[in-house]
Amino acid sequence: MKIFLLFTLLIFGALNISAQDVTGVWKGALDVGGQKLTIVFKIAKTDAVYLSKMDSPDQGAFDIETTSTTFANNILNIKIASAGIDYTGTLKNADTIEGTFKQGGSLPLVLTRTGETAKVEPPLPKLRPQEPKTPFPYRSENVKFANAKAKINLAGTLTMPSAGKNFPVVVLITGSGAQNRDEEILGHKPFLVIADFLTRSGFAVLRYDDRGFGESEGKFGAATSRDFADDAEAAVAYLKTRPEINKKKIGLIGHSEGGFIAPMIAAESKDIAFIVLLAGPGVSGDEVLMSQLKAIGEAGNAPAEALQMNLDANQGAYLIIRKGLSQAETEKELAAYYAAIPFMKDKASSAIKTLSSPWMTYFVRSQPSEYLSKVKVPILALNGGRDLQVLPKPNLEGIRASLAKSGKKNVTIMELAGLNHLFQECKTCSVGEYGELEQTFSPAALNEMLIWLKRQTR
């Protein structure tokens, strides 16, 4: 998704056996940079199978269906596979579970039994209106390709028109957080929709599971944007071996963090013919995160004083990270910094672990202008006008300014009114609304992208 947004809540489900009773309603609160985010797990059991749902009432999200719920030897585990979210906790007594909530970083989460009975029915499969149905009028092939540098194999899907050859092709690059090849989030599969639309229009499309996720090998948690760029370059190298592909018309489409990665590759590789940035950052990583925190906080009516305290604390932490110290030195300085902030007393440990992670330190220090200013190929940059995660105006202006330094003239920059970070036509446009909307990807945004791509490949 999605530029690094801890705890945008996604989708879950069921399974396992234990002698202890873990069924019922459990409630706890995550401490996200000084703000409390309530989490509720509702756990039921049918025969030997556990079913659960999750609420995030502070985000207005209820009955989020789970994909994996297990309980054995007093250990509860609940996963959101599509988002890389993983809660593991130990049943300490009849009413308390102590554990860790992970999504990119890790935060402690203690759950307390509320005494309520959970009623959870198995989820019914839901097909969003834009999700394509088989049989497809084109070829769809599951493929694997190697990233020799990382010594891992990545798995994905290559779609191509059913007839013809010498196809122009695009590689889809996901946003932050562990993503599958469809960039699945809250029941939506935006990359599946994009791939289907473009393939029906004459393009080949390669989309793949992030390293360490789905069917791809590697360790996701230890990777940075640079590593993910290496994976995308491996995808390009693989396409060059395919006889059906026009090797002079290979492009990249990156969403969110993927919109930072695409220019990294295009600035260094002669194999790329064009790039599309979907909500790609145009300002430094810390600026993206600060503006995101402020926009989401204000949209959620966070108390102004508490929000400002949180912003100030984060700003100071990012200044430390930007010093470029080693991980150990960064952790030491962050510990000293947080020790002087009263409201961070009980939160410092989890905050330091998250902020000093390889992905976070790399992203906070990132400067998209470093790569954008070196890009020579045609660029299309699109942003939703109501995006709260990668704000359109500062980021599009940052992209424009960086490209001006390169002297690049084939540049199209567009702010699309009424669309959120996922390019959905939205109402409140809050993060919590993503899963409530039936639309997966705006047809207007798809058409703008197709018109531009056809101009670059004719």
Side-chain angles (χ1 to χ4, degrees), residues 31 36 108 338 341-351:
D31 196 316
K36 297 292 185 181
Y338 284 134
I341 303 177
F343 80 87
M344 288 299 298
K345 181 180 179 181
D346 299 325
K347 316 168 186 70
S349 179
S350 59

Side-chain angles (χ1 to χ4, degrees), residues 5-17:
L5 179 64
L6 277 177
F7 318 122
T8 32
L9 300 181
L10 316 177
I11 43 183
F12 277 49
L15 179 60
N16 218 331
I17 310 173

Side-chain angles (χ1 to χ4, degrees), residues 285-308:
D286 58 336
E287 290 180 73
V288 171
L289 295 173
M290 287 291 291
S291 61
Q292 178 186 107
L293 176 60
K294 185 173 187 293
I296 292 175
E298 290 175 344
N301 297 314
E305 184 177 356
L307 178 58
Q308 190 57 55

Side-chain angles (χ1 to χ4, degrees), residues 268-317:
E268 301 168 352
S269 173
K270 294 181 180 179
D271 296 325
I272 307 304
F274 53 87
I275 61 175
V276 177
L277 314 182
L278 299 175
V283 297
S284 63
D286 58 336
E287 290 180 73
V288 171
L289 295 173
M290 287 291 291
S291 61
Q292 178 186 107
L293 176 60
K294 185 173 187 293
I296 292 175
E298 290 175 344
N301 297 314
E305 184 177 356
L307 178 58
Q308 190 57 55
M309 288 172 62
N310 195 14
L311 287 166
D312 291 343
N314 281 19
Q315 183 68 75

Side-chain angles (χ1 to χ4, degrees), residues 127-268:
L127 190 69
R128 300 289 186 173
Q130 287 176 286
E131 190 170 322
K133 304 174 183 65
T134 56
F136 302 133
Y138 51 79
R139 288 176 282 175
S140 181
E141 179 183 345
N142 290 330
V143 300
K144 288 193 175 181
F145 54 93
N147 177 340
K149 182 178 179 180
K151 299 180 180 179
I152 59 173
N153 290 314
L154 300 161
T157 300
L158 175 63
T159 53
M160 295 179 287
S162 57
K165 58 183 179 179
N166 210 33
F167 303 116
V169 64
V170 294
V171 177
L172 303 185
I173 308 173
T174 65
S176 60
Q179 303 283 295
N180 66 19
R181 66 194 69 185
D182 295 329
E183 204 189 31
E184 189 170 348
I185 175 173
L186 287 165
H188 290 286
K189 299 177 180 179
F191 275 15
L192 173 60
V193 171
I194 292 172
D196 176 79
F197 178 77
L198 293 180
T199 306
R200 290 172 188 265
S201 302
F203 288 82
V205 181
L206 175 59
R207 63 194 198 273
Y208 57 94
D209 300 332
D210 287 346
R211 63 165 65 190
F213 195 72
E215 297 178 30
S216 289
E217 298 172 351
K219 294 182 179 180
F220 181 86
T224 69
S225 299
R226 176 68 264 177
D227 298 312
F228 298 133
D230 292 342
D231 293 342
E233 288 179 325
V236 172
Y238 168 73
L239 289 172
K240 291 172 63 181
T241 71
R242 296 290 302 232
E244 309 95 331
I245 299 302
N246 185 331
K247 297 168 185 59
K248 294 183 179 180
K249 295 181 179 179
I250 299 175
L252 308 173
I253 298 178
H255 177 228
S256 200
E257 184 192 5
F260 167 53
I261 291 168
M264 291 175 69
I265 300 168
E268 301 168 352

Side-chain angles (χ1 to χ4, degrees), residues 321-355:
I321 293 172
R322 288 181 65 84
K323 289 182 179 182
L325 305 172
S326 68
Q327 183 169 356
E329 291 171 324
T330 298
E331 291 176 355
K332 184 177 180 181
E333 287 213 14
L334 286 172
Y337 171 69
Y338 284 134
I341 303 177
F343 80 87
M344 288 299 298
K345 181 180 179 181
D346 299 325
K347 316 168 186 70
S349 179
S350 59
I352 292 168
K353 188 173 182 179
T354 297
L355 290 171

